[in-house]
Amino acid sequence: MKPAKTTEIRGDRKSHLLGTLAGGLMWVWSLTLRYEIEDHCGVSNPGSISGPLLLALWHNRIFALAPAWRKSAGKRRKVVVLTSASHDGAMLARAMGVFGFGAVRGSSSRRAVAALVAMKRALARGSDVAITPDGPRGPRYRASAGIIKLAQSSGRPIMPMHATFSSAWRLKSWDRFVIPKPFSRVRVSFGELIEVPRVLDDAAFEAERHRVEAILLAGTDDP
């Protein structure tokens, strides 16, 4: 058996169909939820932020935050989402397409350089880039270095996105994926922008990674 090519982007008709169905379900499900959105950086206000952002959210918050973004700031801002090059990544890309989001395929283990280049190009075109820094395989709530590298090289700030829930199911997946129960309240927060210096030594880089991780962790409500 030949080893999988690290540059291969996977996806087939089944994953595309399942992703589209999942995105449609997320959208319909979101119509039952009571969203309360707090915008601490003004991203929801037209013209308040100049240039694109790096949107940071934990992997298990995707179900709630994709519709919330689309219902608020996403109506006026273009977004591409980083998803893995696997079949699961193809499904997620299709699901996000239901909300009008584009996709960049890649991860730290496959197509990392190509994905980084594609994200920088998206930012140059004026699109926000959404990243789950603990995805696609975890560990849960452990921010990878990729988002810090992208913030450094692009000069664009990171906007943390938080979601807490009045009532929700948490799946037994690696990330304890969160699905808010129908008609429950979802509190969404768009956090203050995080600026990452362009030049960092190893210790300062790790400190920045830890800072972003801590800010995202502060917005969780896990039991």
Side-chain angles (χ1 to χ4, degrees):
M1 180 179 296
K2 294 181 179 180
K5 295 180 180 179
T6 58
T7 57
E8 180 185 1
I9 298 178
R10 296 177 181 174
D12 52 24
R13 292 181 62 183
K14 180 180 178 181
S15 58
H16 291 168
L17 175 60
L18 290 175
T20 301
L21 290 174
L25 175 63
M26 290 169 63
W27 178 253
V28 172
W29 199 286
S30 73
L31 299 178
T32 74
L33 303 175
R34 293 175 291 162
Y35 279 100
E36 297 177 358
I37 298 177
E38 296 181 355
D39 184 355
H40 297 285
C41 65
V43 70
S44 300
N45 301 321
S48 61
I49 293 179
S50 176
L53 302 172
L54 305 180
L55 312 179
L57 62 149
W58 293 129
H59 194 272
N60 63 11
R61 260 56 178 176
I62 293 172
F63 194 99
L65 284 176
W69 179 258
R70 180 60 181 165
K71 291 171 183 288
S72 54
K75 293 179 180 179
R76 294 172 295 275
R77 300 180 68 92
K78 296 181 293 182
V79 178
V80 299
V81 180
L82 176 64
T83 72
S84 73
S86 66
H87 288 288
D88 286 347
M91 289 177 56
L92 180 57
R94 278 301 176 109
M96 295 298 98
V98 172
F99 298 94
F101 304 156
V104 169
R105 305 289 306 281
S107 66
S108 58
S109 59
R110 297 178 62 216
R111 301 193 75 252
V113 174
L116 180 61
V117 171
M119 286 188 289
K120 290 178 69 174
R121 287 175 177 169
L123 290 167
R125 293 193 300 266
S127 291
D128 298 323
V129 173
I131 298 175
T132 57
D134 60 342
R137 294 180 295 181
R140 179 173 63 129
Y141 298 157
R142 167 76 177 182
S144 67
I147 192 169
I148 306 301
K149 292 178 181 177
L150 182 57
Q152 268 191 297
S153 61
S154 67
R156 302 310 307 163
I158 298 169
M159 192 199 79
M161 301 174 67
H162 309 290
T164 58
F165 310 90
S166 64
S167 184
W169 292 292
R170 288 171 168 81
L171 305 185
K172 293 182 179 180
S173 54
W174 69 264
D175 62 348
R176 298 294 309 280
F177 195 80
V178 184
I179 300 177
K181 294 181 179 180
F183 311 107
S184 62
R185 182 181 298 106
V186 180
R187 299 177 182 87
V188 173
S189 173
F190 302 147
E192 295 181 2
L193 302 186
I194 304 170
E195 301 281 352
V196 175
R198 300 294 290 267
V199 179
L200 296 168
D201 60 23
D202 290 347
F205 184 95
E206 177 59 17
E208 286 296 305
R209 189 202 63 77
H210 188 270
R211 178 166 72 109
V212 171
E213 181 177 276
I215 289 171
L216 287 171
L217 275 172
T220 62
D221 62 345
D222 289 3

